[in-house]
Amino acid sequence: MALPTPLQAFSGVPKNTASADKQTIIDGEKMTGAQALIRALEDLGVQDVFGLPGGAILPVFHAINDDTKFRFTLVRHEQAAGHAAEGYAVATGRVGVCIVTSGPGATNMITPIADANMDSVPLVVITGQVGVNAIGTDAFQEADIVGATYPVVKHSYLVTRAQDIPRVLAEAHYIARSGRPGPVLVDIPRDVQVAVAELQELPAAGTPAPLPQPDPQALARAAEMMNAAKRPLLLLGGGTSSPEASAAVVSFMEARRIPAVMSLRGLGTVPHGHELAVGMLGMHGARASNMLVDECDLLMVVGARLGDRATGRLDGFCPKTGLVHIDIDACEVGKLRIPQVGITADAAEALTAL
């Protein structure tokens, strides 16, 4: 599924659909950009934030006090904040949020941002930046973090007006968890954090964008191949790791008596010791898993990218096997190996329909 632009993505979310406890009416209240940021995070239901203070983000940290509704966890290195937010997002299903400073603080976040992008983990990364007028002057601890992270984020923002902060935070939170989840960067200059804005209301938190529905014709072709196969096999990736997808996978396996192998990110989808779970495949996988992939007559890839650690050389990866590829991201279907049937859909919905 192609990612819509931020305005396209956000335009489908009604502005005033949240209940009173989810949306704060400001009615002309004046606050600094930093205070608006904290209020916006609270309004979005954020419960935990990870980070490390620094000069260009101090106004935001000064706005965190005993009355703040979320818990702040102080780390000793910005990269730790990013990885902690990743782990939190995976464990809770919520969007991970972290706040760090400009320059080296922001560049220390590149590794967890890239990791979240590869593993489809929803993050909102808030970075401090030098003042708007100092951008591009090689000011102290200035770094073009928007440009540096452009290849590894789902979207990014450079906020230049304090009144835009609540809207941008709501959009970032929405984009991070919609469709295929991923990291969103919000870069806020220091003078924007201290500027005073008059706000009428904070945007309501939007529900995630609707998931793509599986094509009925593709489902029918996949079902025909599955019914005709004598040795079908599932390959499960990170796209099956959510509780909903995991339950659908186990139900599908048990109903059809189809065994499964997993990529590294797919481990844990099926309970350890399950009679139909063979184990991890690939370079560091089990011999039985790799042999089954070579010997199956239909490989059903669900939520996996077919990366090189799992497949080895693609031209030697089950070359005579029928292939069905199910993924929520249309860009992944057929990117490395053209399947006989490609289905762009949520794993749980596709397997339930099959």
Side-chain angles (χ1 to χ4, degrees):
M1 180 179 67
L3 176 67
T5 66
L7 291 179
Q8 289 172 333
F10 203 63
S11 62
V13 182
K15 194 173 184 181
N16 295 307
T17 56
S19 59
D21 62 337
K22 292 295 184 181
Q23 181 177 358
T24 302
I25 304 300
I26 303 299
D27 194 24
E29 181 180 347
K30 292 184 178 180
M31 61 179 69
T32 66
Q35 291 168 332
L37 187 151
I38 300 304
R39 184 81 70 86
L41 290 177
E42 292 175 338
D43 239 41
L44 289 166
V46 173
Q47 296 183 4
D48 290 270
V49 175
F50 305 86
L52 187 65
I57 198 68
L58 278 183
V60 171
F61 280 87
H62 288 157
I64 300 174
N65 54 47
D66 291 341
D67 295 325
T68 301
K69 296 178 182 177
F70 57 77
R71 176 175 57 182
F72 180 80
T73 299
L74 180 68
V75 298
R76 294 294 180 265
H77 192 281
E78 291 84 5
Q79 190 178 107
H83 288 311
E86 274 192 283
Y88 174 86
V90 171
T92 65
R94 296 175 173 273
V95 175
V97 179
C98 42
I99 304 175
V100 300
T101 192
S102 66
T107 56
N108 281 341
M109 284 295 303
I110 293 177
T111 294
I113 290 172
D115 191 52
N117 184 61
M118 290 295 293
D119 288 350
S120 304
V121 177
L123 287 189
V124 171
V125 179
I126 300 165
T127 56
Q129 183 57 275
V130 299
V132 172
N133 292 332
I135 293 176
T137 67
D138 293 328
F140 177 68
Q141 291 197 339
E142 178 192 0
D144 179 11
I145 194 62
V146 171
T149 58
Y150 185 79
V152 291
V153 292
K154 191 174 180 183
H155 195 70
S156 54
Y157 294 88
L158 173 61
V159 185
T160 57
R161 301 191 311 167
Q163 59 264 39
D164 291 337
I165 289 177
R167 173 187 60 82
V168 167
L169 261 293
E171 286 188 23
H173 192 270
Y174 169 77
I175 292 172
R177 63 196 178 113
S178 293
R180 179 178 182 171
V184 179
L185 177 79
V186 181
D187 196 31
I188 308 178
R190 193 180 192 283
D191 54 349
V192 176
Q193 299 169 39
V194 300
V196 176
E198 184 173 303
L199 304 174
Q200 299 304 316
E201 62 181 349
L202 294 179
T207 56
L211 298 172
Q213 295 300 304
D215 176 34
Q217 294 183 343
L219 284 172
R221 293 197 302 272
E224 289 177 4
M225 293 178 66
M226 184 175 64
N227 291 334
K230 295 181 179 179
R231 298 183 304 278
L233 182 68
L234 285 165
L235 167 52
L236 308 175
T240 63
S241 60
S242 71
E244 297 82 5
S246 177
V249 165
V250 173
S251 177
F252 180 84
M253 291 170 60
E254 292 177 345
R256 296 303 304 242
R257 305 303 297 171
I258 299 177
V261 297
M262 302 87 178
S263 70
L264 178 63
R265 288 276 296 142
L267 291 175
T269 295
V270 182
H272 180 71
H274 192 286
E275 61 175 343
L276 293 172
V278 183
M280 193 171 86
L281 85 159
M283 180 184 295
H284 304 292
R287 182 169 182 264
S289 299
N290 291 320
M291 289 180 66
L292 275 186
V293 169
D294 282 339
E295 295 173 3
C296 70
D297 59 358
L298 174 65
L299 185 64
M300 302 179 68
V301 181
V302 187
R305 291 192 299 262
L306 296 178
D308 63 297
R309 295 289 149 157
T311 66
R313 287 178 50 181
L314 273 171
D315 57 3
F317 180 70
C318 51
K320 300 179 181 179
T321 300
L323 187 67
V324 173
H325 196 169
I326 301 170
D327 202 284
I328 197 171
D329 186 352
C331 296
E332 290 295 341
V333 179
K335 183 176 77 174
L336 299 177
R337 179 77 177 271
I338 303 299
Q340 276 74 25
V341 179
I343 301 174
T344 301
D346 174 69
E349 288 197 25
L351 290 178
T352 301
L354 275 176

